[in-house]
Amino acid sequence: MQSYPFCDISDRYSAPTDSSHYESRLNLIVDELPACVSYLDADLRYRFVNATYEAWFQLDRQTIDGQYLWQVIGDVAYRKVKPYIDQVFDGEQVTYEAVLPYAQGRRHIRGTLIPDFDRHDRVQGYYALIVDISTDKQAETALRRSQANLAKAQELAHIGSWEFDLVTRTPLCSAEMLRLFGLNPNAPAPELSHLAQFFSPEDWTRVKQTLQWAIATGEPQPLAGQIRRPTGERRYLEGTSEAIKNAQGDVVKLLGTVMDVTDRQQRQDQLRLLESVVLHANDAVLVTEADLIEPPGPRIVYVNPAFTAMTGYTQAEIVGQTPRILQGPKTDRASLDRIRAALKTRQKIREELINYRQDGTEFWVELELVPITIANARDQQVPHFVAIQRDITARKRTEQLLKEQAELIDIATDAFLVRDLESRLLFWSRGAEQIYGWPSSEVLGRNVDTLLNSEPFHQLELAWQTVLNHGEWHGELQKSTKANKVRIIESRWTLVRNSAGQPAAVLSVDTDITERKQLEAQLLRAQRLESLGTLASGIAHDLNNILTPILGI
């Protein structure tokens, strides 16, 4: 057998790629095609076949994979198609028809062979699309084509067929074809000028050029375009056109099929949009396989640019590794156990843990792990997990600082209170619990003015007006404790603003000065008594001076 120059492309079938999830979706679509789709390398060994190929040759794809072409289709069939294979390895795309005597029976087929070039423009293999047209060849060409297209329109949803007689300039459309355009399926076929109004000028120009090329070459041509139905709804259509020749070799008719691919197009648009979002996201995104949960763990198959910026690993360094490469001495074991349990049960999970960059520095991440579910006819499969990681190192440092500050506040004997602009308590320190007697669990969210203050509300209104206008207020208030005891409080209010500079809350620091006020009152009474004693002593002295002469008489 003849051998052809080739390049090693085995890495295409072993290395994980960024498009693995796209490939799995494409495989599902290809398996549904009623045509044989295959890929053969330069040695004519099978590297891919679809489900239809398996059905034709009654072999599963694992058996076919790696076999030579002639081992599957037979030597006789191989000799008949070898000239076309030679052409494709010369770099040409080849379309042919032939009757091939397979071991499973004779088939009249139409084949399309498409060369696959490597980066040096050398053919390293080819794609083959083989369609069985045996039934089409059993009747007259025009009737056969019409019946086959109608059968396809009945079998496959949203597929219409059409033909155009170049001699009589008469168009014919199937009922499904008319439905695709939003027309009455029982109405006569519209004229070409009428169909033109459904297309944009650019798309209609491309359609006409494609049909003209089919007439000029006599070869099948693809059709594609967007239409606007009478209701205003936009639909994406794809199809084929094929020229039918008479006995003299002149093209006398065009036949074709059209399929509504709007859903597929929208999914592709959504995938492109999603890809753009992932590529430009600030959060790190990585995709792992879902089948290896135990060590060494699931392999990473994709990371976005934000991941490489966050961790210091390049895509080439990280793809094929496991997420364990990011773990280190301070990575919480309990968090990892919960993540592994979620992987096993295919559940979504969110965790915060310490990871390590390539240079060994640690950083905190908020990790959200989500299973990617693909539904099929029998069940739902989870082939991959998506992990979204956000660097929360700065937040953790802030939380630690706030925790330290909160501990210092709790040590203080003063009461620290934070209230919003509706006087609802947002923070209640341990000092506040000691002064007022309420634990924080009983007061958070309550109105602090009605909870504590026994003062007339006009004094509170004055305090609020002052702090809102000037940013701070200082004064004395009488406040009630949980035991209904009145305490004298020296209160200092400070206005807290948000990032936009707008008032958001009020921080107040309360000092209980009840005992100090009592001491001051006692001291004042003592001073008054002392003054009265001094006054009485003076009066007595003066009286004594007055009475002495009188008493001496």
Side-chain angles (χ1 to χ4, degrees):
M1 299 296 177
Q2 182 175 353
S3 177
Y4 301 91
F6 69 99
C7 292
D8 184 4
I9 60 171
S10 59
D11 59 324
R12 293 187 177 186
Y13 307 96
S14 58
T17 67
D18 297 349
S19 60
S20 61
H21 58 297
Y22 298 123
E23 291 177 2
S24 66
R25 293 176 179 269
L26 182 59
N27 286 339
L28 292 174
I29 295 172
V30 171
D31 275 343
E32 294 298 322
L33 292 176
C36 288
V37 180
S38 62
Y39 180 87
L40 291 92
D41 63 18
D43 285 335
L44 299 185
R45 288 179 180 268
Y46 285 94
R47 296 305 179 190
F48 171 82
V49 296
N50 70 342
T52 303
Y53 216 104
E54 294 178 297
W56 272 32
F57 297 99
Q58 300 173 16
L59 296 170
D60 58 57
R61 63 188 67 189
Q62 288 77 20
T63 303
I64 296 175
D65 186 39
Q67 291 200 47
Y68 290 102
L69 175 62
W70 53 86
Q71 291 177 321
V72 176
I73 69 173
D75 290 337
V76 177
Y78 169 73
R79 285 194 295 270
K80 296 192 71 170
V81 299
K82 184 176 181 301
Y84 307 115
I85 296 174
D86 292 339
Q87 284 182 259
V88 84
F89 278 101
D90 287 337
E92 300 176 18
Q93 179 172 322
V94 181
T95 300
Y96 65 95
E97 290 186 11
V99 178
L100 299 182
Y102 299 128
Q104 295 78 15
R106 299 173 66 86
R107 291 181 184 268
H108 196 139
I109 61 99
R110 179 187 299 113
T112 300
L113 309 182
I114 303 173
D116 178 28
F117 298 93
D118 64 14
R119 61 178 176 271
H120 302 296
D121 290 329
R122 294 179 298 184
V123 179
Q124 59 185 0
Y126 68 92
Y127 301 94
L129 175 66
I130 309 299
V131 180
D132 187 346
I133 59 172
S134 303
T135 303
D136 297 343
K137 294 297 181 177
Q138 294 176 358
E140 292 292 333
T141 301
L143 179 59
R144 181 189 66 240
R145 291 295 183 185
S146 177
Q147 291 175 339
N149 289 328
L150 286 175
K152 288 180 182 178
Q154 294 172 355
E155 293 172 5
L156 304 175
H158 304 305
I159 295 181
S161 60
W162 59 272
E163 65 178 67
F164 184 71
D165 192 316
L166 297 177
V167 178
T168 63
R169 311 298 294 179
T170 303
L172 293 176
C173 297
S174 70
E176 185 64 26
M177 180 74 175
L178 295 173
R179 289 192 189 95
L180 293 179
F181 280 81
L183 301 175
N184 183 353
N186 299 317
E191 298 292 334
L192 286 180
S193 58
H194 182 57
L195 287 178
Q197 67 180 350
F198 294 97
F199 293 87
S200 67
E202 296 79 7
D203 280 350
W204 182 244
T205 298
R206 284 193 291 269
V207 169
K208 289 193 299 183
Q209 290 173 346
T210 299
L211 296 178
Q212 290 167 357
W213 185 250
I215 295 171
T217 63
E219 297 177 354
Q221 300 295 326
L223 292 169
Q226 183 182 169
I227 65 168
R228 184 189 291 271
R229 289 176 172 174
T231 59
E233 181 184 10
R234 292 184 179 274
R235 308 298 293 179
Y236 293 89
L237 303 180
E238 286 185 3
T240 60
S241 63
E242 186 170 348
I244 303 301
K245 299 179 181 179
N246 59 17
Q248 290 74 36
D250 299 323
V251 176
V252 295
K253 186 178 293 187
L254 291 177
L255 301 175
T257 57
V258 174
M259 176 186 296
D260 187 337
V261 295
T262 304
D263 292 342
R264 187 190 72 190
Q265 184 68 36
Q266 290 175 345
R267 287 194 296 269
Q268 290 175 347
D269 292 343
Q270 290 171 353
L271 288 174
R272 282 192 289 267
L273 177 61
L274 176 61
E275 182 180 21
S276 177
V277 170
V278 170
L279 287 175
H280 297 92
N282 292 325
D283 293 339
V285 178
L286 71 154
V287 180
T288 69
E289 296 175 341
D291 54 350
L292 295 175
I293 306 304
E294 300 302 330
R299 292 189 309 156
I300 298 172
V301 298
Y302 171 79
V303 295
N304 71 338
F307 179 92
T308 61
M310 182 183 295
T311 65
Y313 288 100
T314 66
Q315 192 172 72
E317 292 170 332
I318 201 69
V319 169
Q321 301 290 336
T322 75
R324 286 179 172 84
I325 197 173
L326 303 173
Q327 300 165 11
K330 294 185 180 181
T331 305
D332 183 54
R333 186 74 255 171
S335 296
L336 295 178
D337 290 341
R338 288 191 294 270
I339 291 173
R340 185 166 59 253
L343 289 172
K344 287 182 177 180
T345 57
R346 305 296 197 256
Q347 298 295 316
K348 178 179 177 181
I349 188 173
R350 177 178 291 180
E351 288 287 342
E352 294 181 0
L353 70 163
I354 294 177
N355 274 347
Y356 289 81
R357 299 183 180 90
Q358 186 189 37
D359 61 8
T361 58
E362 63 185 53
F363 65 104
W364 276 94
V365 295
E366 180 184 72
L367 169 68
E368 185 168 1
L369 200 62
V370 181
I372 301 301
T373 302
I374 297 178
N376 56 33
R378 294 186 300 271
D379 54 10
Q380 290 187 336
Q381 298 180 349
V382 179
H384 297 93
F385 277 91
V386 172
I388 302 173
Q389 298 187 25
R390 177 172 297 173
D391 190 335
I392 58 171
T393 305
R395 193 192 82 191
K396 283 292 185 179
R397 289 172 180 167
T398 301
E399 289 176 354
Q400 181 62 29
L401 179 61
L402 292 175
K403 180 180 178 181
E404 294 171 356
Q405 292 174 345
E407 290 174 351
L408 292 176
I409 289 175
D410 282 340
I411 294 174
T413 58
D414 289 343
F416 288 79
L417 291 75
V418 178
R419 72 194 79 189
D420 63 17
L421 299 185
E422 301 296 329
S423 287
R424 288 187 295 265
L425 275 170
L426 305 176
F427 177 76
W428 182 264
S429 71
R430 189 171 299 169
E433 293 181 359
Q434 294 172 350
I435 291 175
Y436 298 114
W438 276 286
S440 61
S441 60
E442 294 183 10
V443 298
L444 290 180
R446 295 179 63 179
N447 188 298
V448 64
D449 292 338
T450 58
L451 178 71
L452 299 178
N453 289 293
S454 59
E455 290 285 345
F457 274 92
H458 70 269
Q459 186 174 359
L460 293 176
E461 291 175 357
L462 178 62
W464 271 107
Q465 184 178 5
T466 302
V467 77
L468 291 174
N469 291 336
H470 303 287
E472 59 183 19
W473 174 84
H474 177 266
E476 294 182 5
L477 297 170
Q478 289 188 0
K479 297 188 178 183
S480 299
T481 67
K482 185 176 182 181
N484 291 322
K485 294 182 178 180
V486 176
R487 311 296 293 178
I488 302 173
I489 302 298
E490 183 180 46
S491 190
R492 297 171 295 280
W493 291 20
T494 302
L495 186 65
V496 179
R497 299 180 182 274
N498 59 22
S499 58
Q502 300 298 319
V506 172
L507 166 67
S508 62
V509 182
D510 292 356
T511 303
D512 188 347
I513 60 173
T514 305
E515 284 74 15
R516 191 183 77 189
K517 284 293 184 178
Q518 291 174 347
L519 289 174
E520 289 176 354
Q522 292 173 3
L523 178 61
L524 181 61
R525 284 196 298 272
Q527 289 175 343
R528 288 177 177 175
L529 290 173
E530 182 179 356
S531 298
L532 288 173
T534 302
L535 177 62
S537 176
I539 293 173
H541 178 74
D542 291 342
L543 288 173
N544 185 54
N545 291 335
I546 295 172
L547 294 175
T548 298
I550 296 174
L551 294 174
I553 296 175

